[in-house]
Amino acid sequence: MFEARLVQSAILKKVLDAVKDLLTEATFECSDSGIQVQAMDSAHVSLVSLNLRSDGFDKYRCDRNLSMGMSISCMSKILRCAGAEDTVTLRAWDNPESITFIFESPNKDKLAEYEMKLINMDQEHLGIPETSYSCVIKMPSGEFSRICRDLSQFGESITFACSKEGIKFSASGDYGSANIKLVQNTDADKEEEAVVIDMQEPLKLTFACRYLNCFVKAGPLCNQVQLSMSDDVPLVCEYKIGDIGHIKYYLAPKIDD
Amino acid sequence: KHSQAKITSFFTKA
């Protein structure tokens, strides 16, 4: 049997909000160590890697490894039925054809069960090579969302240029152009407001706004986002999920023609 | 002009 309980269903709601614009369906791999999801968007431009560790759950039991194909839109609809303060339990039997979501109100006077059919999926698991990145940037996730939103008005892509001076985000299009520069700021009053730039080599990479604007939907999960970049490899955009795990988005760059 | 690369050109099937 598989059973995973989270006192804060809000975490799972936020996780679904963070993937529902990119993925229509995904395989949830459940094992003793936790829940993992690796899935590409339909255009195979980006990849989502989600990891929720078993020790981060309030209760976790997984007697045998399970691969459960789930509709993300259906799961998202079900999670919308949970109250903000509800506890959520995911439950499935061995060789399951469905998974049950159980929502319990804080004072235990309401118990709701939603059963969702699993789907058979041909899964294509990709190996992600170990990479040492030449630029690693940590910044407030709200700031990154804002930059992506603001620059998206000017073009379909954003160029990330990292140098000793800091990081410059720029976009240009028919209306004109815009750029936003950030410098390192480790003196911020609060740790979550810091901008930390670790640059080994300067670089310039261009990424599609469409995907960046999907990634920033993970902003409510974490105050900080980490961007890891090297020339000619996918961007890694990482958000920690409390003490339970992380969500990493990989995005293939746009290449000069 | 830029063209969009695929993630599958960087990561191989495991």
Side-chain angles (χ1 to χ4, degrees):
Chain A
M1 149 178 227
F2 168 75
E3 195 170 58
R5 183 168 184 264
L6 268 180
V7 169
Q8 286 182 278
S9 62
I11 294 176
L12 203 56
K13 281 185 179 216
K14 288 178 190 172
V15 167
L16 264 291
D17 284 343
V19 299
K20 70 178 166 49
D21 293 343
L22 275 175
L23 308 175
T24 51
E25 48 196 34
T27 302
F28 285 66
E29 307 275 356
C30 305
S31 70
D32 229 16
S33 58
I35 302 174
Q36 281 188 305
V37 176
Q38 194 208 79
M40 285 183 280
D41 70 281
S42 59
H44 292 192
V45 168
S46 68
L47 179 136
V48 179
S49 173
L50 169 69
N51 188 7
L52 301 171
R53 287 189 314 274
S54 53
D55 59 19
F57 286 87
D58 300 291
K59 184 181 173 192
Y60 191 91
R61 175 181 166 186
C62 185
D63 297 342
R64 48 184 291 188
N65 292 357
L66 292 178
S67 275
M68 295 188 278
M70 301 194 207
S71 153
I72 296 295
S73 61
C74 183
M75 197 175 171
S76 187
K77 279 179 194 164
I78 289 174
L79 278 156
R80 255 180 264 153
C81 304
E85 306 297 322
D86 283 1
T87 289
V88 58
T89 303
L90 312 183
R91 187 183 291 155
W93 306 103
D94 292 345
N95 303 314
E97 287 184 356
S98 66
I99 181 165
T100 305
F101 296 79
I102 303 148
F103 302 130
E104 195 173 18
S105 62
N107 57 5
K108 300 189 189 305
D109 58 355
K110 182 180 170 188
L111 190 74
E113 289 192 15
Y114 296 84
E115 191 187 340
M116 181 177 84
K117 284 181 189 154
L118 298 177
I119 43 182
N120 282 322
M121 286 181 58
D122 281 334
Q123 51 173 339
E124 199 178 12
H125 207 80
L126 297 180
I128 300 166
E130 278 287 319
T131 308
S132 57
Y133 290 93
S134 48
C135 285
V136 178
I137 302 189
K138 289 179 192 155
M139 69 161 92
S141 54
E143 186 68 77
F144 184 55
S145 307
R146 180 87 205 247
I147 289 170
C148 293
R149 189 191 72 194
D150 291 352
L151 294 184
S152 296
Q153 301 182 101
F154 288 86
E156 288 177 357
S157 53
I158 299 177
T159 298
F160 294 38
C162 201
S163 69
K164 271 188 295 191
E165 284 75 47
I167 177 147
K168 186 170 89 171
F169 302 91
S170 56
S172 61
D174 297 341
Y175 301 121
S177 63
N179 72 76
I180 298 167
K181 295 186 199 87
L182 290 185
V183 293
Q184 176 150 295
N185 173 15
T186 49
D187 301 329
D189 291 344
K190 294 177 193 157
E191 204 178 317
E192 65 243 39
E193 288 168 6
V195 176
V196 182
I197 299 174
D198 178 9
M199 188 209 72
Q200 310 298 323
E201 277 175 67
L203 58 76
K204 198 172 171 185
L205 287 162
T206 299
F207 300 103
C209 294
R210 198 182 133 207
Y211 294 94
L212 296 170
N213 283 320
C214 289
F215 303 169
V216 301
K217 300 277 166 66
L221 283 167
C222 186
N223 289 323
Q224 284 257 318
V225 57
Q226 178 171 303
L227 307 171
S228 304
M229 291 170 279
S230 277
D231 269 329
D232 301 320
V233 301
L235 161 76
V236 191
C237 182
E238 178 178 359
Y239 295 85
K240 288 206 161 43
I241 306 172
D243 293 328
I244 179 170
H246 62 249
I247 183 161
K248 288 184 189 180
Y249 301 94
Y250 294 85
L251 176 59
K254 288 198 158 189
I255 310 269
D256 281 331
D257 283 334
Chain B
K1 271 283 169 198
H2 292 100
S3 60
Q4 177 63 62
K6 301 268 185 195
I7 200 86
T8 39
S9 16
F10 300 94
F11 301 157
T12 48
K13 278 185 198 177

